[in-house]
Amino acid sequence: MKVDFKWTAILIGLIVVCSVATGAVHGTLEDTIAQNDFGTEEEIDITELLPEASSLKKLDMDIPEDSDIQSIQGAYDGDELKGYIIKTDSEGAYSTISIAIAITNEGEISGIEILSQNETEGLGDEIADDEFTSRFKSKTAKTPLTLVDDETSAKDEVQGLSGATISAQAVVDGVNTAIEFFNTQLEGGN
Amino acid sequence: MSTHKNKIFNTSLLAAICTGFVATTSLKVALSMSIAVTIVLIITNLIMNLFKNRAPNSMLLLFYMVLTAFMTGIMYLIFQAYLPDIVNELGIYIPVVLFSVPLISQIFSDKGNYSITNALTTSIGFILVICCIGIIRGILGKNNTAILEPPAAFIVTGILLAILTGIFNKKKTV
């Protein structure tokens, strides 16, 4: 088969021109695209986390750039602020664990939800199970939580998972990040 | 079958419409997607005019693909920048539709038909039919979510085609 070198070269040239042009357009639109929110906000089941509240409103707050806090939402029942949903990222054993923490006005954790994680199947991923996340219910949000081995009823202790210490600790770290933010930036500011 | 009808609903247009079904859940989505497809089609065919009579025939489709892909990329960026709602709803299907509609209609149409007229007729037919399906699904879908499921698009199109065929055949006999 005869190969048409001239037109092959033109075709390659066209591809290069098109690529450069696409790059140029991307460069000019990049900033506008970055401002748009592409549904990356995970849906949160608010009835599970904060049963008293019925709607969420994103709070416009200054989050430090290097902070693990992703977003803060106010949980409202009508116009009344019932608590906050704070989303944090925390480094687990193998993946970034994204957690939503619900804290009531009274400074109590009313629930947490693991939004995304990619920990070891069968071990670390048990952090996303209700059995583990429910252990955070009714814990205090006034002081940081500690992970303990045994079942505990202390307000500032959470029972860990055997075989998944790093993942469980990561969740506690994420929750503590939220607690710290709650105590320094949110409490009293109702 | 009347010749008039065959002209409007040729195979290439029908193939293009089937590819665009994903974008017919509501009028707004249908309208913006079909306008985007039109822009891609027309600009691609405009540039194709530069190569049409010069490049070897066997390579024309390659040029067409490169240009369509290029325009699709640009349009997707524009969508991301100015129509984030539609990007949220359709996501990756935007470039898929934008790319496959021109390509499939080209493959199904007469060989080497890269003229502006062809682009215009395909686009106008595409806009009309896609928007019709969009309106029907948008209205019916409010009460019945089954209409918003993908297979419903085929059923709606079938009914639409039957009605239109009836109208055109009647005209001919009158």
Side-chain angles (χ1 to χ4, degrees):
Chain A
M1 202 180 107
K2 193 177 156 286
V3 180
D4 194 326
F5 284 108
K6 184 189 156 202
W7 281 97
T8 312
I10 292 178
L11 182 62
I12 293 170
L14 182 72
I15 295 173
V16 173
V17 170
C18 287
S19 315
V20 173
T22 312
V25 173
H26 183 257
T28 42
L29 291 179
E30 206 171 19
D31 295 339
T32 330
I33 293 171
Q35 285 165 13
N36 292 333
D37 164 34
F38 288 114
T40 39
E41 294 278 304
E42 295 90 348
E43 287 286 316
I44 294 178
D45 190 0
I46 186 173
T47 49
E48 282 279 310
L49 289 179
L50 253 173
E52 295 165 346
S54 55
S55 67
L56 286 177
K57 210 170 85 189
K58 196 164 183 175
L59 297 179
D60 215 7
M61 298 198 66
D62 286 332
I63 302 168
E65 208 105 317
D66 55 344
S67 160
D68 285 327
I69 308 255
Q70 298 301 310
S71 73
I72 300 121
Q73 286 169 298
Y76 292 86
D77 179 28
D79 285 339
E80 202 184 339
L81 185 71
K82 290 288 184 188
Y84 301 93
I85 306 269
I86 303 174
K87 283 187 205 164
T88 61
D89 274 358
S90 180
E91 278 306 316
Y94 299 102
S95 63
T96 303
I97 305 169
S98 172
I99 315 158
I101 301 112
I103 300 176
T104 63
N105 275 340
E106 290 81 39
E108 190 184 82
I109 296 174
S110 71
I112 72 162
E113 189 183 330
I114 309 293
L115 298 170
S116 69
Q117 54 89 21
N118 202 3
E119 297 294 284
T120 323
E121 221 166 292
L123 288 170
D125 69 351
E126 285 179 19
I127 53 167
D129 292 347
D130 274 349
E131 200 192 324
F132 180 67
T133 54
S134 64
R135 290 177 192 169
F136 286 86
K137 241 172 223 172
S138 316
K139 299 290 178 190
T140 179
K142 301 213 190 289
T143 54
L145 304 176
T146 26
L147 199 66
V148 293
D149 288 336
D150 304 310
E151 211 165 307
T152 172
S153 58
K155 282 278 179 196
D156 60 348
E157 288 178 348
V158 175
Q159 188 195 348
L161 287 168
S162 57
T165 323
I166 298 173
S167 305
Q169 183 61 52
V171 177
V172 173
D173 288 346
V175 174
N176 284 342
T177 313
I179 289 175
E180 195 197 326
F181 189 85
F182 174 75
N183 285 317
T184 50
Q185 311 279 334
L186 295 171
E187 207 184 26
N190 308 334
Chain B
M1 290 261 186
S2 68
T3 45
H4 187 52
K5 190 203 145 279
N6 277 337
K7 243 184 191 171
I8 291 178
F9 292 111
N10 54 37
T11 1
S12 75
L13 180 55
L14 263 185
I17 289 165
C18 289
T19 324
F21 273 165
V22 68
T24 59
T25 42
S26 72
L27 179 62
K28 192 192 160 203
V29 176
L31 199 63
S32 31
M33 279 306 288
S34 50
I35 288 173
V37 167
T38 308
I39 296 171
V40 172
L41 263 171
I42 290 175
I43 295 184
T44 310
N45 282 36
L46 265 178
I47 307 176
M48 275 310 286
N49 270 344
L50 289 177
F51 303 107
K52 199 164 62 177
N53 296 322
R54 303 193 185 112
N57 268 338
S58 56
M59 284 181 78
L60 275 177
L61 197 61
L62 288 176
F63 279 96
Y64 192 73
M65 280 170 72
V66 171
L67 288 170
T68 320
F70 164 63
M71 281 312 299
T72 303
I74 303 269
M75 285 310 290
Y76 190 41
L77 285 173
I78 294 175
F79 264 88
Q80 282 179 320
Y82 301 111
L83 293 163
D85 292 352
I86 294 169
V87 178
N88 270 340
E89 192 174 329
L90 293 180
I92 191 68
Y93 288 108
I94 293 176
V96 170
V97 169
L98 289 185
F99 183 72
S100 44
V101 167
L103 204 62
I104 286 186
S105 73
Q106 192 59 51
I107 290 168
F108 274 87
S109 75
D110 307 331
K111 216 180 169 195
N113 195 347
Y114 298 102
S115 65
I116 308 287
T117 344
N118 186 37
L120 276 175
T121 37
T122 311
S123 335
I124 292 170
F126 188 78
I127 292 181
L128 286 178
V129 179
I130 289 287
C131 288
C132 276
I133 304 171
I135 293 171
I136 295 171
R137 288 182 80 191
I139 293 169
L140 296 179
K142 266 179 196 152
N143 302 320
N144 190 351
T145 45
I147 301 288
L148 295 177
E149 297 288 322
F154 284 95
I155 298 168
V156 172
T157 314
I159 295 169
L160 203 67
L161 281 181
I163 295 170
L164 287 174
T165 311
I167 294 172
F168 281 122
N169 280 348
K170 214 176 188 178
K171 259 188 189 164
K172 207 193 156 203
T173 48
V174 170

